Amino acid sequence: MGSEYILEMENVSKTFPGVKALDNVQLHVKKGTVHAVMGENGAGKSTLMKIVIGIHAADAGNGRLVLDGEELSLQNHSIAVAIEKGISMIHQELSPIPEMTVSENIWLGREPKKNPLFYDKKKMVKDTQDLFDELSIDNIGPTEKMRNLSVAKMQMVEIAKAISYSSKIIIMDEPTSAITDKEVAHLFRIVRKLKAEGVAFVFITHKMDEVFEITDEVSVYRDGTYVGTESEKDMTRDKLIAMMVGREITQMFPKEEAEITDVIMSVKGLTKEGLFEDVSFDLRKGEILGLAGLMGAGRTEVVETLFGYRKADAGEIYIHGKKVNINSPKDAIANKMALLTEDRKQTGCFLPLSVRDNMVVVNIGKYLSGPMLNKRALERDCEEQRDILAVKTPTLDQTINNLSGGNQQKVLVARWLLTQPDIMIVDEPTRGIDVGAKAEIHRLLSKMAQEGKAVIMISSELPEVMGMSDRILVMHEGKITGEVSRDEANQKRIMELATATF
């Protein structure tokens, strides 16, 4: 009689230079189930999954990897072997080939052939359409270029690609981080359908609600060690948080009272044709102003225009009562503004550079005296930010690409804190970040408001935007549809404004 497990991992370790990423961990996934892998950033979740898929080799030792009863080598494993044996993975960081079509991206390296020299483009397009029909994906065309797709649509293509391998087990690393609630529901329907057919899923997420909606079992990791596994029905939110962080987090949204005083910024009639129009609001010192709405509402485009990434077609911006022209991020920074962007990989981190270089890259002039660099002051300030934000890195020389997503985000926060901004704009500041780091960033934003700074916060998570904001502006299709005070805010009212059903 065969094992009930499709995947068995025991005594798996992985060491990177200066970091013990995994220390004798285990994972047992049952056939036809959804198994959540949970833990704070830096817990080792993605590293463990990269060993399963063959991106990393585990350390030599007595570790074991067994797939459907067959033992695989942990040292000679590879992506090709993993796919051949029935393992596929949807990665957290998307890496499409932009100039290729959707169908070319899905079947890359395994294109149907007309003959040894040419692939069968017609069949590839048909196979893609058949796959989309099976998955009820009706808003993406097989011949569309990937560069023309939204991040959400790219994510759905990645999901379809993983499923196209007819895998026994599909690993999903933060698959819902960039898709709408409607698309999440669609994904979960696909997962339940495949689960009923015997496919198993490993599901990494930082969204607690998803764990209790879609998973059967939960394994928790902390600082590279295995904490334990529980069935979903025996798990509670408080128990899961305590297992992940080793302590209870009593307040996820530590919003402290701050004195809200003078208007620091006024935006009047800001318009970018085709993206948003006639956006007007005031922002005050000591205030956290939430910006809510569904994906595609224009929130990110508004703050990118405020910061000079985009040039407005109309409208005026006043800071401290004085009209300013912000035509570039340099202009915004000169006006004491900071922007933590939505996508830390694409528009935030300089991945080949060190933690130190990423912290000081926009503020290096502060440490220059003529041609001389004040290395002592630079090092002191970077070390201070590392300690304040609890960035987990062996040294400031560590390449930021080797840090977990949450720690990368903290480095980007440190970058902007070093500029001492008066206005801090944060776009999805806790996306893909664990509960402990979320609470730390929330506490930091609250502290900035208490110090008299002003914060604009975009968040797609309604509990977050309601928990942290003093006021909430809601957008729908490029327009502000309403403003809700902290006392009046509830999910129903915000969704009415976000969908223009008021």
Side-chain angles (χ1 to χ4, degrees):
M1 186 175 174
S3 169
E4 65 177 322
Y5 297 107
I6 186 72
L7 178 68
E8 300 171 76
M9 302 184 78
E10 295 169 359
N11 301 316
V12 176
S13 296
K14 179 63 181 177
T15 305
F16 295 105
V19 179
K20 184 80 168 179
L22 295 172
D23 188 3
N24 285 308
V25 302
Q26 59 175 286
L27 175 65
H28 295 81
V29 179
K30 293 177 182 175
K31 297 173 181 176
T33 65
V34 179
H35 194 111
V37 168
M38 302 291 289
E40 292 191 271
N41 288 104
K45 309 180 300 293
S46 293
T47 300
L48 183 61
M49 293 304 102
K50 286 176 180 177
I51 289 173
V52 178
I53 198 66
I55 294 173
H56 294 324
D59 294 347
N62 60 347
R64 296 179 71 229
L65 168 61
V66 180
L67 179 71
D68 204 12
E70 179 184 358
E71 185 146 357
L72 305 177
S73 169
L74 277 167
Q75 279 70 55
N76 298 318
H77 197 38
S78 68
I79 296 172
V81 169
I83 290 172
E84 179 194 344
K85 298 296 183 182
I87 306 169
S88 61
M89 183 170 180
I90 302 163
H91 295 272
Q92 179 180 4
E93 310 298 345
L94 302 178
S95 54
I97 301 175
E99 293 306 315
M100 283 188 168
T101 66
V102 168
S103 60
E104 287 167 342
N105 268 267
I106 288 177
W107 304 104
L108 184 64
R110 52 198 178 113
E111 300 89 348
K113 296 288 183 73
K114 277 184 177 179
N115 56 54
L117 294 178
F118 298 98
Y119 67 79
D120 191 337
K121 187 174 181 180
K122 189 173 181 181
K123 184 177 189 307
M124 189 163 63
V125 169
K126 182 182 183 303
D127 289 347
T128 303
Q129 189 59 59
D130 289 345
L131 178 64
F132 284 176
D133 289 345
E134 180 188 347
L135 302 176
S136 300
I137 297 173
D138 57 8
N139 61 344
I140 305 172
T143 59
E144 288 186 69
K145 287 281 182 75
M146 290 296 290
R147 63 176 157 79
N148 295 330
L149 300 187
S150 66
V151 174
K153 287 184 177 180
M154 287 183 190
Q155 184 70 283
M156 294 306 288
V157 171
E158 281 294 307
I159 290 163
K161 181 177 180 178
I163 291 167
S164 73
Y165 287 101
S166 301
S167 303
K168 298 175 183 177
I169 184 165
I170 298 174
I171 300 164
M172 302 190 295
D173 191 353
E174 298 283 355
T176 67
S177 62
I179 61 179
T180 65
D181 290 344
K182 183 179 177 182
E183 287 160 333
V184 171
H186 185 183
L187 171 61
F188 285 178
R189 284 195 297 272
I190 293 170
V191 168
R192 291 186 181 102
K193 175 179 179 290
L194 293 173
K195 190 176 96 164
E197 296 170 5
V199 178
F201 292 84
V202 177
F203 186 46
I204 299 175
T205 183
H206 288 304
K207 298 180 180 178
M208 291 282 178
D209 292 345
E210 294 178 353
V211 173
F212 295 100
E213 179 180 351
I214 195 68
T215 65
D216 300 291
E217 290 189 305
V218 185
S219 288
V220 180
Y221 300 82
R222 184 169 66 241
D223 296 329
T225 64
Y226 170 73
V227 177
T229 298
E230 296 275 358
S231 69
E232 180 272 330
K233 63 179 182 294
D234 293 331
M235 185 66 82
T236 65
R237 182 179 295 263
D238 289 345
K239 183 177 182 180
L240 179 54
I241 291 172
M243 288 176 72
M244 287 170 61
V245 303
R247 65 191 189 279
E248 290 187 15
I249 295 180
T250 55
Q251 195 177 10
M252 272 306 298
F253 305 110
K255 178 78 170 73
E256 302 291 342
E257 288 298 318
E259 185 182 4
I260 298 174
T261 59
D262 302 334
V263 172
I264 191 171
M265 174 190 273
S266 286
V267 178
K268 300 181 186 298
L270 197 68
T271 298
K272 180 67 178 174
E273 295 295 336
L275 296 176
F276 60 87
E277 62 177 294
D278 196 26
V279 170
S280 301
F281 62 88
D282 288 338
L283 176 68
R284 297 177 180 275
K285 294 180 181 179
E287 179 178 45
I288 298 179
L289 178 65
L291 201 52
L294 301 177
M295 194 172 292
R299 299 166 303 165
T300 293
E301 290 77 8
V302 167
V303 298
E304 286 178 347
T305 304
L306 289 176
F307 201 70
Y309 276 130
R310 301 175 186 269
K311 185 171 175 59
D313 294 317
E316 299 173 335
I317 301 171
Y318 295 82
I319 296 179
H320 296 296
K322 179 184 175 184
K323 184 179 177 182
V324 295
N325 293 314
I326 298 177
N327 298 311
S328 69
K330 185 178 179 180
D331 294 337
I333 294 167
N335 281 284
K336 306 290 280 183
M337 295 170 64
L339 172 61
L340 187 68
T341 57
E342 178 183 19
D343 189 333
R344 59 179 168 266
K345 289 282 190 183
Q346 295 296 321
T347 55
C349 298
F350 294 93
L351 295 173
L353 300 185
S354 69
V355 169
R356 179 191 299 102
D357 291 343
N358 270 275
M359 282 188 184
V360 300
V361 68
V362 299
N363 201 38
I364 192 69
K366 175 183 175 182
Y367 305 99
L368 290 173
S369 179
M372 303 300 292
L373 180 67
N374 188 339
K375 292 184 179 179
R376 182 176 295 179
L378 185 152
E379 196 75 9
R380 180 197 65 222
D381 289 352
C382 289
E383 287 178 352
E384 181 181 17
Q385 290 299 325
R386 178 195 62 192
D387 295 342
I388 288 171
L389 294 167
V391 179
K392 291 181 182 176
T393 178
T395 71
L396 293 174
D397 294 316
Q398 178 72 271
T399 304
I400 196 171
N401 196 35
N402 292 335
L403 268 57
S404 68
N407 285 299
Q408 289 175 350
Q409 190 79 323
K410 290 180 185 179
V411 172
L412 296 181
V413 172
R415 172 191 296 173
W416 291 114
L417 290 181
L418 285 172
T419 70
Q420 298 180 314
D422 291 334
I423 300 167
M424 184 77 166
I425 305 170
V426 291
D427 192 352
E428 304 288 1
T430 63
R431 173 176 287 169
I433 288 182
D434 59 75
V435 289
K438 278 186 179 183
E440 289 171 17
I441 286 180
H442 292 153
R443 193 169 290 109
L444 178 69
L445 295 176
S446 190
K447 182 172 180 284
M448 291 182 73
Q450 284 186 307
E451 292 170 353
K453 301 180 188 301
V455 178
I456 299 175
M457 184 180 76
I458 296 175
S459 177
S460 297
E461 296 187 31
L462 288 185
E464 179 174 61
V465 79
M466 290 190 299
M468 291 302 298
S469 304
D470 296 293
R471 280 188 301 138
I472 302 168
L473 300 178
V474 187
M475 292 189 68
H476 172 74
E477 294 184 352
K479 297 179 180 178
I480 292 178
T481 50
E483 176 183 314
V484 184
S485 71
R486 181 175 178 83
D487 293 338
E488 298 169 339
N490 60 68
Q491 294 201 23
K492 182 175 182 292
R493 179 59 181 152
I494 292 172
M495 286 306 296
E496 285 174 348
L497 292 168
T499 55
T501 55
F502 47 89

